[in-house]
Amino acid sequence: LILDVASLKSPFIDTLKDMATRRKVCSVHPMFGPSAESMYDRNLLVCDCGCPAAVESALELLGNHGANIRTMPVDQHDMYMSYVLGLSHAVNIAFFTVLDRSGIDFQDMQTVASTTFAKLMDTNESVALEDPYLYYEIQHLNAYREDMLRQFNDAVHDVVNAALDESPKDFKDLMDNGREYFT
C-alpha cells in the first residue's frame, strides 16, 4: 500500500492516478497536525486515486483508531482544501494584516478585546507563527485557489458595502444567509 499525506494533491494528482493503475495507491490527508496525540474524533480524508483495493486497505489500516474518516475521489480533495485550508488561512492573514496596519500594539489590543475578538486573536496568532512558505504553497499550488480567492474578495467587498450603506437590508441579508448556512 502506497500513501501520500500531502495537504494538496493538485501538483501530483496525475502521478497518483497513473500509479494507481499499476500499484495499490491512494492518498490520505489527516486534518490535524503532528502535535495531535491521537486521531480520535479528528477528521481524516482518504482519497481514491482509482484503485479501490488501496482505499479498502487504507480504511482497514486507519479505520479503527477513532478518526472521522471521509472518503472522496482524489479529484475533489483540493476543491475542499481551497476552503478548509486556503480560505481559513486567507481570512486569518487578512485579519492580522489589518491589525498590524492599524498601528495599535498587540498587547494594547488585548486589553480591550471582547470574547469573540480574543478567540480570533488566539487563532490568528497561531497562524502568524506558522511557516510562511508552507502557507504560501497551500495558497499558490491549489488548482482551485482563484475561484475561492475571488469569492473571498467579493464577500469582503459585499460586507464593506453593506456596512457603509445607509440601509441595513444588505447587511441583514448577509447575516441571514450566514445563519441559514449554519442551520
Side-chain angles (χ1 to χ4, degrees):
L1 176 61
I2 301 169
L3 303 171
D4 81 273
V5 293
S7 297
L8 293 177
K9 312 305 179 184
S10 301
F12 53 89
I13 195 168
D14 292 336
T15 301
L16 286 171
K17 290 164 77 173
D18 179 56
M19 288 175 60
T21 64
R22 298 182 309 282
R23 302 271 191 277
K24 228 169 144 179
V25 173
C26 80
S27 183
V28 298
H29 187 181
M31 301 306 297
F32 48 92
S35 64
E37 293 180 19
S38 161
M39 287 195 285
Y40 185 78
D41 205 28
R42 297 185 186 268
N43 293 339
L44 175 67
L45 306 180
V46 175
C47 301
D48 184 347
C49 300
C51 180
V55 172
E56 188 177 312
S57 292
L59 292 173
E60 219 173 276
L61 176 69
L62 302 167
N64 295 318
H65 300 284
N68 306 314
I69 297 179
R70 163 86 185 264
T71 59
M72 68 175 58
V74 71
D75 294 314
Q76 291 180 0
H77 176 272
D78 284 8
M79 183 273 299
Y80 281 99
M81 291 310 107
S82 72
Y83 297 100
V84 171
L85 298 178
L87 177 61
S88 62
H89 296 168
V91 166
N92 285 283
I93 293 165
F95 185 91
F96 66 64
T97 299
V98 170
L99 291 180
D100 179 53
R101 292 177 183 173
S102 75
I104 302 170
D105 180 80
F106 174 67
Q107 284 75 24
D108 187 22
M109 195 66 84
Q110 286 182 306
T111 67
V112 297
S114 66
T115 304
T116 302
F117 190 81
K119 288 178 185 177
L120 285 169
M121 286 205 327
D122 285 345
T123 300
N124 277 264
E125 183 181 14
S126 70
V127 170
L129 297 174
E130 291 290 343
D131 179 351
Y133 296 103
L134 172 63
Y135 274 45
Y136 170 76
E137 287 181 353
I138 289 171
Q139 293 292 335
H140 184 72
L141 297 177
N142 190 316
Y144 296 88
R145 72 184 185 273
E146 290 180 42
D147 290 340
M148 179 279 295
L149 289 170
R150 256 191 230 101
Q151 292 171 4
F152 176 55
N153 188 54
D154 292 348
V156 169
H157 182 350
D158 291 348
V159 170
V160 168
N161 286 342
L164 295 174
D165 197 312
E166 292 300 319
S167 166
K169 183 197 177 312
D170 290 343
F171 197 89
K172 180 185 178 307
D173 289 347
L174 291 172
M175 295 288 292
D176 287 346
N177 291 340
R179 190 173 294 115
E180 187 176 318
Y181 178 83
F182 288 108
T183 57

